[in-house]
């Protein structure tokens, strides 16, 4: 009879243990029963970068990397990208169900009416250097928000938590646009509550004098890009959000940590790196030499926008974005870097090096080209990733706080350093 358990023999002692298997996992703590001697600490697992460790149970996002499946709360990303709006998807991610008409209206109203930021926040942003990277500005000002809402530290109070969720969801667009305008030396543009979430963000970014007409095609493209980036289960930045949040830090501080994690070029900084890479390659003729460099560099030079820790077949978000690029380019004109990207993709997908390692274009490979065509400077790309990911981070943070299994995050280590030794004074060293 098949049993949901694992039987292991510890060859150091000859003892056999049986561990229950639940949801395809064993509890790592069960292994601690296995001791080589009575004073032994007990067996641990060694898992750098948590590649095979489930750190939580979650009901938010499902990914099957081999099949290229991404679902939010059970709904396939393709259906949400086609039919939903970003705010509706964010509601779904945060609440578990799609909203009724009334719930959607109230949700949209609450977020729209929290878009203003305190004037002191604006003054704080003015203090950044004229050429400050907008992602650095965003992380710092989100952290600063915790000083404006000290009550946010009441993370065990559900009503208080809900208020911070409205605030963060709303103010992130305002801070992002202010950061951009600061780096351009432009006066900050205030939110317009009559516009949609994405429409308002576009006007705060690009409004010059007079009225800003939001292009429905670009507004919809941004909705779709935001939907695609809203959550991606336990990635680096979400783990940072959960890790910092597990100490019961307020959500602004935890979100600032998540933004810092997203800033790295191996995570949310990748779409910026794709554009820089395309510019550096410079022309289609130089692509074969670049591919050769990637292959012989021993991992030092990477084809940015390729590869994924989880997707080993295709990234469903990349497929949606590639299709959408054509619609956007009809309005904005074709991005000249697109031909280079298409050629890079064609060569890489037929090259043994990439095939063997299951390296495919990820979400970042084409998103940067669209953002650039829409008028966003490269520095803003990670910021454009952070805005929608706030909904995912908050949903994961909220779920963690209600999860009775969770405690402050605190991994173990394998210590390989020096044994005990006595201090030697400076003169004798
Ligand atoms: N270009 C060239 N080689 C690569 C690439 C790449 N983009 N990605 C992985 N490899 C190679 C590695 O050198 C390694 O080769 P080896 O087995 O000969 O040593 C092998 O493929 C496995 O790579 P890992 O680094 O072990 O894969 P991992 O799952 O840890 O990394 C990651 C995933 C970080 C995304 C990686 O593929 C990468 O650096 N890609 C480029 C950056 C990027 O596009 N990041 C965006 C990710 S999506 C997102 O965050 C939204």
């Amino acid at each position: 009879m098949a049993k949901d358990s694992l039987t292991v023999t510890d060859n150091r002692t000859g003892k056999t243990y049986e561990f229950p298997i639940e949801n395809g996992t064993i509890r790592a703590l069960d292994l601690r029963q296995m001791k080589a001697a009575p004073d032994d600490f007990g067996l641990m697992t060694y898992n750098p970068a948590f590649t095979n460790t489930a750190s939580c149970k979650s009901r938010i996002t499902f990914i099957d990397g081999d099949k290229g499946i991404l679902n939010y709360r059970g709904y396939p990303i393709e259906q949400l990208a086609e039919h939903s709006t970003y705010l509706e998807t964010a509601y779904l991610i945060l609440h578990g169900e799609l909203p009724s008409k009334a719930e959607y209206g109230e949700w949209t109203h609450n977020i729209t009416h929290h878009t203003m930021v305190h004037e002191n926040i604006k003054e704080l942003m003015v203090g950044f250097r004229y050429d400050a990277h907008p992602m650095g500005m965003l992380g710092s000002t989100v952290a600063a928000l915790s000083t404006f809402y000290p009550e946010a530290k009441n993370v065990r109070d559900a009503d208080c938590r809900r208020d911070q969720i409205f605030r963060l969801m709303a103010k992130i667009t305002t801070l992002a646009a202010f950061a951009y305008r600061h780096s351009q030396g432009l006066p900050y543009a205030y939110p317009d509550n009559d516009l949609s979430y994405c429409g308002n963000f576009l006007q705060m970014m690009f409004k010059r004098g007079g009225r800003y007409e939001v292009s429905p095609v670009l507004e919809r493209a941004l909705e779709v890009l935001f939907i695609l980036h809203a959550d991606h289960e336990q990635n680096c930045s979400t783990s940072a959000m959960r890790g910092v949040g597990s100490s019961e830090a307020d959500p602004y501080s935890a979100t600032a940590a998540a933004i810092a994690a997203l800033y790295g070029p191996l995570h949310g900084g990748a779409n910026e790196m794709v554009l820089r890479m395309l510019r550096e390659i410079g022309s289609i003729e130089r692509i074969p030499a670049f591919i050769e460099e990637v292959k012989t560099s021993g991992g030092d030079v990477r084809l940015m926008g390729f590869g994924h820790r989880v997707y080993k077949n295709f990234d469903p978000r990349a497929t949606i974005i590639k299709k959408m690029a054509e619609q956007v380019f009809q309005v904005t004109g074709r991005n000249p870097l697109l031909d280079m990207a298409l050629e890079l993709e064609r060569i890489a997908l037929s090259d043994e090096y990439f095939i063997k390692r299951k390296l495919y274009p990820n979400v970042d490979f084409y998103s940067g080209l669209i953002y650039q065509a829409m008028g966003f400077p490269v520095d803003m790309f990670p910021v454009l990733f952070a805005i929608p990911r706030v909904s995912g981070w908050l949903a994961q943070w909220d779920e963690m706080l209600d999860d009775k299994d969770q405690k402050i995050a605190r991994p173990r280590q394998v210590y390989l350093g020096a044994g005990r030794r006595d201090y030697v004074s400076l003169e004798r060293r």
Side-chain angles (χ1 to χ4, degrees), residues 265-268 270 294 298-299 301-309 312 317 353-354 357 359 362-364 385:
L266 298 188
H267 191 12
V294 169
V301 181
R302 295 203 162 197
L303 177 49
M304 299 313 286
F306 261 64
H308 200 275
R309 172 62 58 76
K312 298 296 177 194
R317 302 167 300 174
Y353 175 94
F354 297 91
R357 290 171 178 77
L359 299 171
N362 58 47
V363 66
D364 292 317
F385 193 157

PDB file of all heavy atoms in Angstrom, residues 265-268 270 294 298-299 301-309 312 317 353-354 357 359 362-364 385, ligand 1:
ATOM      1  N   PRO A 265      20.444  43.734 -10.965  1.00  0.00           N
ATOM      2  CA  PRO A 265      20.354  43.396 -12.396  1.00  0.00           C
ATOM      3  C   PRO A 265      19.936  41.955 -12.672  1.00  0.00           C
ATOM      4  O   PRO A 265      19.503  41.651 -13.773  1.00  0.00           O
ATOM      5  CB  PRO A 265      21.765  43.661 -12.925  1.00  0.00           C
ATOM      6  CG  PRO A 265      22.639  43.700 -11.735  1.00  0.00           C
ATOM      7  CD  PRO A 265      21.804  44.136 -10.570  1.00  0.00           C
ATOM      8  N   LEU A 266      20.042  41.068 -11.683  1.00  0.00           N
ATOM      9  CA  LEU A 266      19.594  39.695 -11.926  1.00  0.00           C
ATOM     10  C   LEU A 266      18.096  39.548 -11.680  1.00  0.00           C
ATOM     11  O   LEU A 266      17.526  38.486 -11.874  1.00  0.00           O
ATOM     12  CB  LEU A 266      20.350  38.709 -11.031  1.00  0.00           C
ATOM     13  CG  LEU A 266      21.853  38.639 -11.239  1.00  0.00           C
ATOM     14  CD1 LEU A 266      22.441  37.498 -10.435  1.00  0.00           C
ATOM     15  CD2 LEU A 266      22.205  38.469 -12.721  1.00  0.00           C
ATOM     16  N   HIS A 267      17.443  40.613 -11.218  1.00  0.00           N
ATOM     17  CA  HIS A 267      16.011  40.526 -10.908  1.00  0.00           C
ATOM     18  C   HIS A 267      15.319  41.633 -11.701  1.00  0.00           C
ATOM     19  O   HIS A 267      15.282  41.590 -12.922  1.00  0.00           O
ATOM     20  CB  HIS A 267      15.849  40.633  -9.387  1.00  0.00           C
ATOM     21  CG  HIS A 267      14.502  40.312  -8.848  1.00  0.00           C
ATOM     22  ND1 HIS A 267      13.509  39.720  -9.583  1.00  0.00           N
ATOM     23  CD2 HIS A 267      13.965  40.516  -7.602  1.00  0.00           C
ATOM     24  CE1 HIS A 267      12.433  39.573  -8.829  1.00  0.00           C
ATOM     25  NE2 HIS A 267      12.686  40.050  -7.625  1.00  0.00           N
ATOM     26  N   GLY A 268      14.807  42.654 -11.043  1.00  0.00           N
ATOM     27  CA  GLY A 268      14.038  43.691 -11.753  1.00  0.00           C
ATOM     28  C   GLY A 268      14.895  44.637 -12.563  1.00  0.00           C
ATOM     29  O   GLY A 268      14.382  45.395 -13.384  1.00  0.00           O
ATOM     30  N   ALA A 270      16.864  43.684 -14.745  1.00  0.00           N
ATOM     31  CA  ALA A 270      17.270  43.000 -15.987  1.00  0.00           C
ATOM     32  C   ALA A 270      16.769  43.703 -17.240  1.00  0.00           C
ATOM     33  O   ALA A 270      17.474  43.732 -18.249  1.00  0.00           O
ATOM     34  CB  ALA A 270      16.799  41.549 -15.956  1.00  0.00           C
ATOM     35  N   VAL A 294      29.321  35.415 -24.801  1.00  0.00           N
ATOM     36  CA  VAL A 294      28.487  34.881 -23.714  1.00  0.00           C
ATOM     37  C   VAL A 294      28.868  33.424 -23.444  1.00  0.00           C
ATOM     38  O   VAL A 294      29.064  33.009 -22.304  1.00  0.00           O
ATOM     39  CB  VAL A 294      26.979  34.980 -24.087  1.00  0.00           C
ATOM     40  CG1 VAL A 294      26.118  34.193 -23.113  1.00  0.00           C
ATOM     41  CG2 VAL A 294      26.531  36.443 -24.134  1.00  0.00           C
ATOM     42  N   GLY A 298      32.230  31.745 -19.397  1.00  0.00           N
ATOM     43  CA  GLY A 298      32.081  30.972 -18.152  1.00  0.00           C
ATOM     44  C   GLY A 298      31.036  31.563 -17.229  1.00  0.00           C
ATOM     45  O   GLY A 298      31.172  31.500 -16.007  1.00  0.00           O
ATOM     46  N   GLY A 299      30.022  32.169 -17.797  1.00  0.00           N
ATOM     47  CA  GLY A 299      28.917  32.710 -16.971  1.00  0.00           C
ATOM     48  C   GLY A 299      29.112  34.185 -16.625  1.00  0.00           C
ATOM     49  O   GLY A 299      28.227  34.816 -16.052  1.00  0.00           O
ATOM     50  N   VAL A 301      29.606  36.828 -18.761  1.00  0.00           N
ATOM     51  CA  VAL A 301      28.786  37.671 -19.645  1.00  0.00           C
ATOM     52  C   VAL A 301      27.502  36.902 -19.909  1.00  0.00           C
ATOM     53  O   VAL A 301      27.528  35.766 -20.368  1.00  0.00           O
ATOM     54  CB  VAL A 301      29.492  37.957 -20.993  1.00  0.00           C
ATOM     55  CG1 VAL A 301      28.629  38.862 -21.867  1.00  0.00           C
ATOM     56  CG2 VAL A 301      30.853  38.570 -20.750  1.00  0.00           C
ATOM     57  N   ARG A 302      26.383  37.530 -19.596  1.00  0.00           N
ATOM     58  CA  ARG A 302      25.092  36.848 -19.763  1.00  0.00           C
ATOM     59  C   ARG A 302      24.264  37.536 -20.833  1.00  0.00           C
ATOM     60  O   ARG A 302      24.381  38.747 -21.034  1.00  0.00           O
ATOM     61  CB  ARG A 302      24.318  36.844 -18.454  1.00  0.00           C
ATOM     62  CG  ARG A 302      25.045  36.030 -17.427  1.00  0.00           C
ATOM     63  CD  ARG A 302      24.163  35.508 -16.333  1.00  0.00           C
ATOM     64  NE  ARG A 302      24.860  34.415 -15.670  1.00  0.00           N
ATOM     65  CZ  ARG A 302      24.300  33.514 -14.893  1.00  0.00           C
ATOM     66  NH1 ARG A 302      23.012  33.588 -14.644  1.00  0.00           N
ATOM     67  NH2 ARG A 302      25.004  32.560 -14.340  1.00  0.00           N
ATOM     68  N   LEU A 303      23.428  36.751 -21.460  1.00  0.00           N
ATOM     69  CA  LEU A 303      22.466  37.320 -22.395  1.00  0.00           C
ATOM     70  C   LEU A 303      21.301  37.806 -21.531  1.00  0.00           C
ATOM     71  O   LEU A 303      20.485  37.008 -21.063  1.00  0.00           O
ATOM     72  CB  LEU A 303      22.031  36.238 -23.390  1.00  0.00           C
ATOM     73  CG  LEU A 303      20.976  36.603 -24.414  1.00  0.00           C
ATOM     74  CD1 LEU A 303      21.308  37.901 -25.118  1.00  0.00           C
ATOM     75  CD2 LEU A 303      20.850  35.491 -25.453  1.00  0.00           C
ATOM     76  N   MET A 304      21.271  39.098 -21.256  1.00  0.00           N
ATOM     77  CA  MET A 304      20.278  39.634 -20.331  1.00  0.00           C
ATOM     78  C   MET A 304      18.872  39.447 -20.919  1.00  0.00           C
ATOM     79  O   MET A 304      18.676  39.583 -22.122  1.00  0.00           O
ATOM     80  CB  MET A 304      20.542  41.112 -20.032  1.00  0.00           C
ATOM     81  CG  MET A 304      21.879  41.374 -19.382  1.00  0.00           C
ATOM     82  SD  MET A 304      22.261  40.281 -17.994  1.00  0.00           S
ATOM     83  CE  MET A 304      21.175  40.931 -16.728  1.00  0.00           C
ATOM     84  N   GLY A 305      17.919  39.142 -20.033  1.00  0.00           N
ATOM     85  CA  GLY A 305      16.553  38.889 -20.497  1.00  0.00           C
ATOM     86  C   GLY A 305      16.352  37.442 -20.914  1.00  0.00           C
ATOM     87  O   GLY A 305      15.284  37.084 -21.408  1.00  0.00           O
ATOM     88  N   PHE A 306      17.366  36.629 -20.703  1.00  0.00           N
ATOM     89  CA  PHE A 306      17.254  35.196 -20.996  1.00  0.00           C
ATOM     90  C   PHE A 306      17.456  34.405 -19.716  1.00  0.00           C
ATOM     91  O   PHE A 306      18.259  34.773 -18.873  1.00  0.00           O
ATOM     92  CB  PHE A 306      18.316  34.762 -22.018  1.00  0.00           C
ATOM     93  CG  PHE A 306      17.794  34.655 -23.407  1.00  0.00           C
ATOM     94  CD1 PHE A 306      17.332  35.778 -24.071  1.00  0.00           C
ATOM     95  CD2 PHE A 306      17.733  33.427 -24.059  1.00  0.00           C
ATOM     96  CE1 PHE A 306      16.840  35.691 -25.361  1.00  0.00           C
ATOM     97  CE2 PHE A 306      17.241  33.326 -25.343  1.00  0.00           C
ATOM     98  CZ  PHE A 306      16.782  34.455 -25.999  1.00  0.00           C
ATOM     99  N   GLY A 307      16.739  33.301 -19.601  1.00  0.00           N
ATOM    100  CA  GLY A 307      16.914  32.409 -18.460  1.00  0.00           C
ATOM    101  C   GLY A 307      15.986  32.773 -17.326  1.00  0.00           C
ATOM    102  O   GLY A 307      15.570  33.934 -17.179  1.00  0.00           O
ATOM    103  N   HIS A 308      15.627  31.798 -16.552  1.00  0.00           N
ATOM    104  CA  HIS A 308      14.770  32.026 -15.402  1.00  0.00           C
ATOM    105  C   HIS A 308      14.944  30.890 -14.416  1.00  0.00           C
ATOM    106  O   HIS A 308      15.121  29.744 -14.829  1.00  0.00           O
ATOM    107  CB  HIS A 308      13.286  32.114 -15.828  1.00  0.00           C
ATOM    108  CG  HIS A 308      12.447  32.799 -14.808  1.00  0.00           C
ATOM    109  ND1 HIS A 308      11.911  32.124 -13.745  1.00  0.00           N
ATOM    110  CD2 HIS A 308      12.085  34.092 -14.675  1.00  0.00           C
ATOM    111  CE1 HIS A 308      11.239  32.981 -13.001  1.00  0.00           C
ATOM    112  NE2 HIS A 308      11.330  34.181 -13.529  1.00  0.00           N
ATOM    113  N   ARG A 309      14.913  31.206 -13.144  1.00  0.00           N
ATOM    114  CA  ARG A 309      15.062  30.173 -12.123  1.00  0.00           C
ATOM    115  C   ARG A 309      13.933  29.146 -12.215  1.00  0.00           C
ATOM    116  O   ARG A 309      14.133  27.961 -11.985  1.00  0.00           O
ATOM    117  CB  ARG A 309      15.102  30.840 -10.736  1.00  0.00           C
ATOM    118  CG  ARG A 309      15.061  29.903  -9.550  1.00  0.00           C
ATOM    119  CD  ARG A 309      16.227  28.937  -9.471  1.00  0.00           C
ATOM    120  NE  ARG A 309      17.537  29.527  -9.422  1.00  0.00           N
ATOM    121  CZ  ARG A 309      18.085  30.117  -8.347  1.00  0.00           C
ATOM    122  NH1 ARG A 309      17.416  30.214  -7.228  1.00  0.00           N
ATOM    123  NH2 ARG A 309      19.305  30.591  -8.405  1.00  0.00           N
ATOM    124  N   LYS A 312      11.524  26.886 -17.381  1.00  0.00           N
ATOM    125  CA  LYS A 312      12.585  26.194 -18.111  1.00  0.00           C
ATOM    126  C   LYS A 312      12.070  25.764 -19.487  1.00  0.00           C
ATOM    127  O   LYS A 312      12.617  24.874 -20.113  1.00  0.00           O
ATOM    128  CB  LYS A 312      13.064  24.972 -17.303  1.00  0.00           C
ATOM    129  CG  LYS A 312      13.668  25.328 -15.958  1.00  0.00           C
ATOM    130  CD  LYS A 312      14.949  26.167 -16.086  1.00  0.00           C
ATOM    131  CE  LYS A 312      15.501  26.577 -14.724  1.00  0.00           C
ATOM    132  NZ  LYS A 312      16.524  27.627 -14.788  1.00  0.00           N
ATOM    133  N   ARG A 317       4.684  35.229 -19.764  1.00  0.00           N
ATOM    134  CA  ARG A 317       4.586  36.696 -19.797  1.00  0.00           C
ATOM    135  C   ARG A 317       5.320  37.242 -21.022  1.00  0.00           C
ATOM    136  O   ARG A 317       4.882  38.210 -21.644  1.00  0.00           O
ATOM    137  CB  ARG A 317       5.167  37.281 -18.511  1.00  0.00           C
ATOM    138  CG  ARG A 317       4.481  36.772 -17.267  1.00  0.00           C
ATOM    139  CD  ARG A 317       5.264  37.103 -16.022  1.00  0.00           C
ATOM    140  NE  ARG A 317       6.611  36.519 -16.038  1.00  0.00           N
ATOM    141  CZ  ARG A 317       7.540  36.757 -15.128  1.00  0.00           C
ATOM    142  NH1 ARG A 317       7.287  37.569 -14.123  1.00  0.00           N
ATOM    143  NH2 ARG A 317       8.727  36.196 -15.214  1.00  0.00           N
ATOM    144  N   TYR A 353      24.174  25.913 -26.771  1.00  0.00           N
ATOM    145  CA  TYR A 353      24.484  26.402 -25.420  1.00  0.00           C
ATOM    146  C   TYR A 353      23.191  26.759 -24.675  1.00  0.00           C
ATOM    147  O   TYR A 353      22.992  26.380 -23.525  1.00  0.00           O
ATOM    148  CB  TYR A 353      25.399  27.637 -25.521  1.00  0.00           C
ATOM    149  CG  TYR A 353      25.689  28.307 -24.177  1.00  0.00           C
ATOM    150  CD1 TYR A 353      26.826  27.982 -23.449  1.00  0.00           C
ATOM    151  CD2 TYR A 353      24.815  29.264 -23.650  1.00  0.00           C
ATOM    152  CE1 TYR A 353      27.081  28.588 -22.230  1.00  0.00           C
ATOM    153  CE2 TYR A 353      25.068  29.867 -22.427  1.00  0.00           C
ATOM    154  CZ  TYR A 353      26.201  29.522 -21.719  1.00  0.00           C
ATOM    155  OH  TYR A 353      26.448  30.120 -20.507  1.00  0.00           O
ATOM    156  N   PHE A 354      22.319  27.507 -25.348  1.00  0.00           N
ATOM    157  CA  PHE A 354      21.100  27.989 -24.697  1.00  0.00           C
ATOM    158  C   PHE A 354      20.043  26.878 -24.591  1.00  0.00           C
ATOM    159  O   PHE A 354      19.325  26.801 -23.604  1.00  0.00           O
ATOM    160  CB  PHE A 354      20.543  29.206 -25.457  1.00  0.00           C
ATOM    161  CG  PHE A 354      21.492  30.373 -25.435  1.00  0.00           C
ATOM    162  CD1 PHE A 354      22.439  30.548 -26.441  1.00  0.00           C
ATOM    163  CD2 PHE A 354      21.488  31.266 -24.383  1.00  0.00           C
ATOM    164  CE1 PHE A 354      23.335  31.603 -26.408  1.00  0.00           C
ATOM    165  CE2 PHE A 354      22.382  32.322 -24.330  1.00  0.00           C
ATOM    166  CZ  PHE A 354      23.315  32.498 -25.351  1.00  0.00           C
ATOM    167  N   ARG A 357      20.850  24.503 -21.705  1.00  0.00           N
ATOM    168  CA  ARG A 357      20.625  25.095 -20.383  1.00  0.00           C
ATOM    169  C   ARG A 357      19.189  25.586 -20.200  1.00  0.00           C
ATOM    170  O   ARG A 357      18.871  26.226 -19.201  1.00  0.00           O
ATOM    171  CB  ARG A 357      21.605  26.248 -20.160  1.00  0.00           C
ATOM    172  CG  ARG A 357      23.027  25.767 -19.999  1.00  0.00           C
ATOM    173  CD  ARG A 357      24.011  26.912 -20.008  1.00  0.00           C
ATOM    174  NE  ARG A 357      25.374  26.440 -19.795  1.00  0.00           N
ATOM    175  CZ  ARG A 357      26.132  25.846 -20.718  1.00  0.00           C
ATOM    176  NH1 ARG A 357      25.652  25.651 -21.923  1.00  0.00           N
ATOM    177  NH2 ARG A 357      27.348  25.451 -20.428  1.00  0.00           N
ATOM    178  N   LEU A 359      17.514  28.009 -21.677  1.00  0.00           N
ATOM    179  CA  LEU A 359      17.481  29.464 -21.524  1.00  0.00           C
ATOM    180  C   LEU A 359      16.585  30.057 -22.607  1.00  0.00           C
ATOM    181  O   LEU A 359      16.869  29.935 -23.794  1.00  0.00           O
ATOM    182  CB  LEU A 359      18.902  30.036 -21.644  1.00  0.00           C
ATOM    183  CG  LEU A 359      19.905  29.528 -20.598  1.00  0.00           C
ATOM    184  CD1 LEU A 359      21.326  29.983 -20.923  1.00  0.00           C
ATOM    185  CD2 LEU A 359      19.514  30.011 -19.209  1.00  0.00           C
ATOM    186  N   ASN A 362      12.871  35.842 -21.072  1.00  0.00           N
ATOM    187  CA  ASN A 362      11.973  36.035 -19.934  1.00  0.00           C
ATOM    188  C   ASN A 362      11.208  37.350 -20.108  1.00  0.00           C
ATOM    189  O   ASN A 362      11.364  38.048 -21.115  1.00  0.00           O
ATOM    190  CB  ASN A 362      12.740  35.963 -18.607  1.00  0.00           C
ATOM    191  CG  ASN A 362      13.854  37.004 -18.528  1.00  0.00           C
ATOM    192  OD1 ASN A 362      13.630  38.166 -18.843  1.00  0.00           O
ATOM    193  ND2 ASN A 362      15.048  36.578 -18.127  1.00  0.00           N
ATOM    194  N   VAL A 363      10.396  37.680 -19.115  1.00  0.00           N
ATOM    195  CA  VAL A 363       9.505  38.845 -19.197  1.00  0.00           C
ATOM    196  C   VAL A 363      10.250  40.133 -19.539  1.00  0.00           C
ATOM    197  O   VAL A 363       9.716  41.045 -20.166  1.00  0.00           O
ATOM    198  CB  VAL A 363       8.709  38.989 -17.872  1.00  0.00           C
ATOM    199  CG1 VAL A 363       9.637  39.327 -16.710  1.00  0.00           C
ATOM    200  CG2 VAL A 363       7.585  39.981 -17.976  1.00  0.00           C
ATOM    201  N   ASP A 364      11.522  40.176 -19.152  1.00  0.00           N
ATOM    202  CA  ASP A 364      12.271  41.416 -19.320  1.00  0.00           C
ATOM    203  C   ASP A 364      12.829  41.615 -20.718  1.00  0.00           C
ATOM    204  O   ASP A 364      13.291  42.699 -21.050  1.00  0.00           O
ATOM    205  CB  ASP A 364      13.444  41.455 -18.330  1.00  0.00           C
ATOM    206  CG  ASP A 364      12.950  41.586 -16.915  1.00  0.00           C
ATOM    207  OD1 ASP A 364      12.031  42.377 -16.709  1.00  0.00           O
ATOM    208  OD2 ASP A 364      13.477  40.897 -16.039  1.00  0.00           O
ATOM    209  N   PHE A 385       8.573  48.102 -12.951  1.00  0.00           N
ATOM    210  CA  PHE A 385       8.380  46.747 -12.433  1.00  0.00           C
ATOM    211  C   PHE A 385       7.876  46.834 -10.987  1.00  0.00           C
ATOM    212  O   PHE A 385       6.969  46.101 -10.567  1.00  0.00           O
ATOM    213  CB  PHE A 385       9.731  46.024 -12.518  1.00  0.00           C
ATOM    214  CG  PHE A 385       9.715  44.543 -12.321  1.00  0.00           C
ATOM    215  CD1 PHE A 385      10.742  43.759 -12.839  1.00  0.00           C
ATOM    216  CD2 PHE A 385       8.708  43.899 -11.611  1.00  0.00           C
ATOM    217  CE1 PHE A 385      10.760  42.388 -12.662  1.00  0.00           C
ATOM    218  CE2 PHE A 385       8.718  42.523 -11.425  1.00  0.00           C
ATOM    219  CZ  PHE A 385       9.757  41.775 -11.945  1.00  0.00           C
TER     220      PHE A 385
HETATM  221  N1  LIG B   1      23.045  34.043 -20.457  1.00  0.00           N
HETATM  222  C1  LIG B   1      24.009  33.108 -20.567  1.00  0.00           C
HETATM  223  N2  LIG B   1      24.122  32.041 -19.769  1.00  0.00           N
HETATM  224  C2  LIG B   1      23.212  31.917 -18.798  1.00  0.00           C
HETATM  225  C3  LIG B   1      22.151  32.849 -18.613  1.00  0.00           C
HETATM  226  C4  LIG B   1      22.094  33.943 -19.488  1.00  0.00           C
HETATM  227  N3  LIG B   1      21.138  34.850 -19.384  1.00  0.00           N
HETATM  228  N4  LIG B   1      21.399  32.469 -17.574  1.00  0.00           N
HETATM  229  C5  LIG B   1      21.939  31.338 -17.109  1.00  0.00           C
HETATM  230  N5  LIG B   1      23.033  31.006 -17.845  1.00  0.00           N
HETATM  231  C6  LIG B   1      23.867  29.802 -17.718  1.00  0.00           C
HETATM  232  C7  LIG B   1      24.767  29.869 -16.501  1.00  0.00           C
HETATM  233  O1  LIG B   1      26.035  30.402 -16.816  1.00  0.00           O
HETATM  234  C8  LIG B   1      24.840  28.409 -16.120  1.00  0.00           C
HETATM  235  O2  LIG B   1      25.707  27.771 -17.010  1.00  0.00           O
HETATM  236  P1  LIG B   1      26.673  26.564 -16.501  1.00  0.00           P
HETATM  237  O3  LIG B   1      25.740  25.462 -16.134  1.00  0.00           O
HETATM  238  O4  LIG B   1      27.563  26.279 -17.652  1.00  0.00           O
HETATM  239  O5  LIG B   1      27.402  27.108 -15.319  1.00  0.00           O
HETATM  240  C9  LIG B   1      23.451  27.879 -16.420  1.00  0.00           C
HETATM  241  O6  LIG B   1      22.954  28.719 -17.471  1.00  0.00           O
HETATM  242  C10 LIG B   1      22.486  27.929 -15.238  1.00  0.00           C
HETATM  243  O7  LIG B   1      22.484  29.250 -14.757  1.00  0.00           O
HETATM  244  P2  LIG B   1      22.176  29.655 -13.257  1.00  0.00           P
HETATM  245  O8  LIG B   1      22.800  30.980 -12.979  1.00  0.00           O
HETATM  246  O9  LIG B   1      22.540  28.505 -12.350  1.00  0.00           O
HETATM  247  O10 LIG B   1      20.609  29.751 -13.303  1.00  0.00           O
HETATM  248  P3  LIG B   1      19.712  30.424 -12.198  1.00  0.00           P
HETATM  249  O11 LIG B   1      18.427  29.715 -12.208  1.00  0.00           O
HETATM  250  O12 LIG B   1      20.446  30.508 -10.912  1.00  0.00           O
HETATM  251  O13 LIG B   1      19.586  31.929 -12.714  1.00  0.00           O
HETATM  252  C11 LIG B   1      18.791  33.893 -13.724  1.00  0.00           C
HETATM  253  C12 LIG B   1      18.433  32.482 -13.223  1.00  0.00           C
HETATM  254  C13 LIG B   1      19.425  34.700 -12.547  1.00  0.00           C
HETATM  255  C14 LIG B   1      17.530  34.604 -14.157  1.00  0.00           C
HETATM  256  C15 LIG B   1      19.816  33.788 -14.882  1.00  0.00           C
HETATM  257  O14 LIG B   1      19.258  33.031 -15.942  1.00  0.00           O
HETATM  258  C16 LIG B   1      20.282  35.140 -15.384  1.00  0.00           C
HETATM  259  O15 LIG B   1      21.249  35.689 -14.835  1.00  0.00           O
HETATM  260  N6  LIG B   1      19.635  35.697 -16.448  1.00  0.00           N
HETATM  261  C17 LIG B   1      19.970  37.011 -16.962  1.00  0.00           C
HETATM  262  C18 LIG B   1      19.367  38.068 -16.078  1.00  0.00           C
HETATM  263  C19 LIG B   1      17.856  38.166 -16.288  1.00  0.00           C
HETATM  264  O16 LIG B   1      17.365  38.219 -17.392  1.00  0.00           O
HETATM  265  N7  LIG B   1      17.136  38.244 -15.154  1.00  0.00           N
HETATM  266  C20 LIG B   1      15.677  38.413 -15.170  1.00  0.00           C
HETATM  267  C21 LIG B   1      15.019  37.228 -14.544  1.00  0.00           C
HETATM  268  S1  LIG B   1      13.291  37.374 -14.659  1.00  0.00           S
HETATM  269  C22 LIG B   1      12.866  38.412 -13.428  1.00  0.00           C
HETATM  270  O17 LIG B   1      13.520  38.627 -12.455  1.00  0.00           O
HETATM  271  C23 LIG B   1      11.593  39.023 -13.583  1.00  0.00           C
END
